[in-house]
């Protein structure tokens, strides 16, 4: 068999700014220092690129020739603009612009949202790499000067994209208080359940043999047991750390106002540091609410024949039910929003309308991720507080003092205020409920 060949042409390789799919096109040398429109073979969107002085390469693109002949880039004119293009931002973008663009792209191209796209994981990874470089001023400067192909990367290499995405909502500094959270787990489970029911999942189960059903149930039970074991370990670890923190109050040498104020000052300093993390204020409010609710519930047991504790217990159950329903609704609302966006892209809506839908999807995605995470955090912390306040190894007086200290921490956490308005506003009722 004889294969046909073609004449070598100087095709320009790049990435579609819309769907992040690798593309290449053959430009005309007449387009020197001009903008050209290119239609993506994958998504059919028309995107604009700017050619260089030779008309055979993109401005800011690193080529094999430019590695040896191009001068060092600058912040205003980087050697490569690939990372900027991946996030859909100009080279002059601020850190806030970069953060907003990353969250928007990460949610849109997350593998969970694109199960039928085999390239989704690679796109998600590339977006994460772009953000890790551009969000670090020093790495961004090096990238602007030398480009991606010259070994610009964070110390220790790039972080796992999924783990890095999680770090964008809380960070490591909260781990000693809330443990390792699974961002969006409740949202993802709700979406998967809805999709299964909608695609006739029950009908598929009817065709399974008894052995297959038994194996499926056994695997499900095993997974649930593993999750339960992980959760138990997490609660035990966090309870021990919380007891150590509360010992700063319960083991005070005296109960003077000065000693109590010293404890409050320590908590206040910690809160001021934590609030600077992504979603730090929102997390502190959620933690504070749980601490305060559990402390009031414990202390109320010894007031008016225990009616105080009963009141706070009923209030807690109502709050949990409301938050659970709200989280599921938010997840399903996000699913609907993504469906609308997909239909709009198929219809080829104008750029302005499509952009508006993307912004809406990004905002709803962040809200769903937050609500799912908040639900999980509060659930775990309720168990942590119960373990701390029901500790049989501690005296009754010590447990009472722990509850008082817990109430102080919760009150201080809830009073924390952001230094500036967050870049994407969440529903106030989901972030700052009135718990007083």
């Amino acid at each position: 068999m004889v294969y046909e060949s073609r004449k070598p042409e100087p095709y320009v390789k790049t990435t579609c700014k819309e769907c992040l799919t690798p593309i290449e096109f053959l430009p005309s040398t007449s387009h020197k220092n001009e903008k050209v429109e290119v239609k993506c073979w994958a998504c059919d969107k028309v995107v604009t690129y700017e050619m260089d002085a030779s008309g055979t390469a993109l401005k800011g693109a690193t080529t094999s020739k430019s590695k040896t002949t191009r001068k060092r880039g600058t912040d205003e004119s980087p050697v490569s603009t690939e990372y900027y293009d991946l996030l859909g931002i100009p080279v002059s973008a601020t850190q806030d612009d970069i953060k907003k663009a990353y969250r928007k792209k990460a949610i849109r191209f997350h593998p969970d949202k694109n199960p039928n796209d085999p390239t989704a994981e690679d796109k998600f990874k590339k977006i994460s790499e772009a953000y890790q470089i551009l969000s670090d001023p020093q790495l961004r400067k090096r990238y602007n000067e030398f480009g991606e192909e010259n070994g610009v990367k964070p110390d220790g290499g790039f972080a796992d994209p999924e783990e890095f995405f999680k770090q964008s909502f809380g960070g490591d500094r909260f781990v000693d208080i809330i443990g390792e959270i699974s961002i969006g787990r409740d949202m993802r489970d709700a979406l998967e359940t809805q999709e299964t029911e909608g695609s006739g999942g029950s009908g598929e189960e009817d065709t399974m043999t008894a052995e297959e059903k038994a194996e499926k149930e056994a695997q499900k039970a095993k997974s649930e047991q593993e999750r339960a074991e992980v959760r138990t370990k997490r609660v035990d670890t966090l309870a021990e750390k919380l007891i150590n923190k509360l010992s700063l109050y319960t083991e005070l040498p005296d109960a003077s106002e000065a000693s109590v104020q010293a404890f409050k000052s320590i908590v206040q300093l910690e809160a001021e540091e934590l609030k600077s993390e992504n979603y730090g204020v929102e997390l502190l409010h959620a933690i504070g609410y749980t601490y305060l609710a559990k402390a009031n519930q414990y202390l109320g047991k010894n007031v008016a024949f225990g009616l105080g504790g009963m009141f706070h217990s009923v209030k807690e159950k109502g709050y949990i039910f409301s938050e659970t329903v709200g989280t599921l609704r938010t997840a399903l609302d996000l699913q609907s929003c993504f469906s609308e966006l997909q239909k709009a892209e198929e219809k080829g809506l104008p750029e302005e309308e499509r952009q508006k839908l993307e912004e809406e999807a990004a905002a709803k995605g962040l809200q769903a991720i937050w609500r799912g995470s908040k639900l999980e955090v509060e659930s775990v912390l309720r168990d942590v507080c119960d373990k701390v306040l029901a500790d049989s190894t501690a005296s009754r007086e010590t447990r009472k003092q722990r509850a008082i200290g817990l109430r102080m921490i919760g009150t201080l956490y809830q009073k924390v205020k952001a230094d500036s308005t967050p870049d994407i506003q969440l529903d106030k009722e989901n972030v700052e409920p009135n718990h007083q």
Side-chain angles (χ1 to χ4, degrees):
M1 180 177 180
V2 178
Y3 291 94
E4 293 292 331
S5 65
R6 72 177 185 181
K7 176 184 176 182
E9 298 283 1
Y11 277 80
V12 174
K13 295 181 182 293
T14 185
T15 301
C16 175
K17 296 179 181 179
E18 294 297 330
C19 67
L20 304 187
T21 300
I23 62 174
E24 61 179 23
F25 65 94
L26 182 61
S28 169
T29 55
S30 62
H31 295 296
K32 298 180 180 180
N33 288 323
E34 292 182 4
K35 292 182 178 180
V36 297
E37 294 185 330
V38 181
K39 184 176 182 179
C40 175
W41 64 268
C43 67
D44 289 332
K45 295 293 189 305
V46 176
V47 291
T48 302
Y49 299 93
E50 190 171 359
M51 306 304 295
D52 67 4
S54 67
T56 59
L58 302 180
K59 278 193 174 181
T62 304
T63 65
S64 57
K65 180 179 179 181
S66 66
K67 289 180 185 178
T68 56
T69 61
R70 185 180 175 90
K71 294 182 179 180
R72 177 182 295 186
T74 64
D75 292 339
E76 293 75 23
S77 181
V79 167
S80 173
T81 61
E82 181 180 1
Y83 282 159
Y84 293 97
D85 293 339
L86 283 171
L87 296 182
I89 54 177
V91 297
S92 59
T94 64
Q95 285 299 311
D96 282 343
D97 293 335
I98 294 171
K99 182 185 295 184
K100 291 179 184 178
Y102 167 68
R103 289 177 175 174
K104 175 181 173 182
K105 292 284 187 180
I107 290 173
R108 179 182 174 188
F109 291 101
H110 194 285
D112 288 340
K113 299 293 176 294
N114 302 274
N116 298 322
D117 183 0
T119 66
E121 188 172 347
D122 289 336
K123 293 175 181 177
F124 184 61
K125 178 181 178 181
K126 202 66 178 178
I127 290 169
S128 175
E129 290 182 2
Y131 179 65
Q132 290 182 59
I133 292 297
L134 299 184
S135 62
D136 185 313
Q138 293 184 344
L139 291 178
R140 181 182 181 182
K141 185 174 182 62
R142 285 169 54 194
Y143 173 74
N144 289 342
E145 292 180 348
F146 305 111
E148 177 190 2
E149 297 184 16
N150 289 274
V152 178
K153 62 177 62 176
D155 292 339
F158 289 106
D160 176 79
E162 184 66 40
E163 290 301 318
F164 189 78
F165 184 55
K166 293 176 183 179
Q167 291 298 318
S168 296
F169 299 87
D172 289 331
R173 300 182 71 179
F174 276 91
V175 171
D176 286 343
I177 302 176
I178 63 177
E180 294 283 352
I181 62 177
S182 177
I183 297 297
R185 184 181 62 189
D186 299 298
M187 173 188 67
R188 183 165 60 250
D189 289 346
L191 291 176
E192 289 176 351
T193 300
Q194 182 74 4
E195 289 173 357
T196 300
E197 293 176 352
S199 60
S202 58
E204 181 182 350
E205 187 171 333
D206 292 339
T207 63
M208 296 173 64
T209 65
E211 290 78 7
E212 290 174 334
K213 289 182 179 180
E215 183 180 354
K216 181 179 179 180
E217 289 299 320
Q219 184 61 42
K220 181 180 179 181
K222 181 181 178 181
S223 298
E224 290 177 351
Q225 181 180 355
E226 290 175 349
R227 285 197 295 269
E229 291 174 351
V230 170
R231 180 188 173 89
T232 298
K233 183 178 180 181
R234 176 179 174 185
V235 169
D236 291 344
T237 300
L238 294 178
E240 182 179 352
K241 291 181 177 180
L242 181 55
I243 288 174
N244 290 336
K245 178 184 288 186
L246 291 170
S247 68
L248 296 175
Y249 174 75
T250 60
E251 297 178 10
L252 285 174
D254 58 75
S256 65
E257 181 64 28
S259 296
V260 173
Q261 188 58 45
F263 172 72
K264 289 183 177 180
S265 296
I266 293 174
V267 175
Q268 187 66 51
L269 287 173
E270 175 197 45
E272 287 298 314
E273 292 180 357
L274 289 173
K275 78 176 187 180
S276 63
E277 296 295 317
N278 289 319
Y279 283 75
V281 173
E282 293 86 350
L283 279 171
L284 286 170
H285 289 177
I287 297 167
Y289 166 66
T290 306
Y291 283 1
L292 194 58
K294 279 299 180 181
N296 286 335
Q297 185 178 334
Y298 180 86
L299 295 171
K301 292 179 181 179
N302 300 317
V303 178
F305 304 101
L307 294 179
M310 186 180 300
F311 166 77
H312 288 291
S313 179
V314 172
K315 183 179 179 182
E316 177 186 75
K317 290 179 181 179
Y319 174 78
I320 294 172
F321 177 78
S322 175
E323 285 294 291
T324 302
V325 172
T327 299
L328 292 177
R329 285 178 176 173
T330 303
L332 296 178
D333 187 31
L334 174 63
Q335 182 190 35
S336 175
C337 187
F338 269 103
S339 297
E340 291 180 10
L341 180 59
Q342 185 176 4
K343 292 178 182 178
E345 290 179 341
E346 292 173 354
K347 293 180 180 178
L349 284 182
E351 174 66 20
E352 185 176 346
E353 292 185 32
R354 187 180 61 78
Q355 184 74 15
K356 183 178 179 180
L357 284 175
E358 286 186 354
E359 293 288 350
E360 182 181 355
K364 289 185 177 180
L366 288 172
Q367 185 184 43
I369 289 171
W370 161 249
R371 291 207 65 157
S373 303
K374 179 171 177 281
L375 193 71
E376 177 189 346
V377 166
E378 291 179 337
S379 174
V380 169
L381 291 185
R382 281 193 292 270
D383 289 350
V384 170
C385 291
D386 286 340
K387 189 175 184 66
V388 169
L389 298 176
D391 183 8
S392 60
T393 64
S395 67
R396 183 175 180 179
E397 180 60 27
T398 297
R399 295 197 296 272
K400 178 181 178 181
Q401 292 303 309
R402 286 179 182 176
I404 295 174
L406 200 61
R407 185 167 60 183
M408 290 183 191
I409 296 175
T411 301
L412 290 171
Y413 278 5
Q414 285 211 294
K415 289 182 177 179
V416 171
K417 295 182 180 180
D419 293 329
S420 58
T421 304
D423 50 1
I424 296 182
Q425 189 70 40
L426 299 172
D427 286 348
K428 188 174 182 180
E429 65 177 55
N430 299 333
V431 179
E432 299 181 39
N434 184 10
H435 310 306
Q436 305 302 326

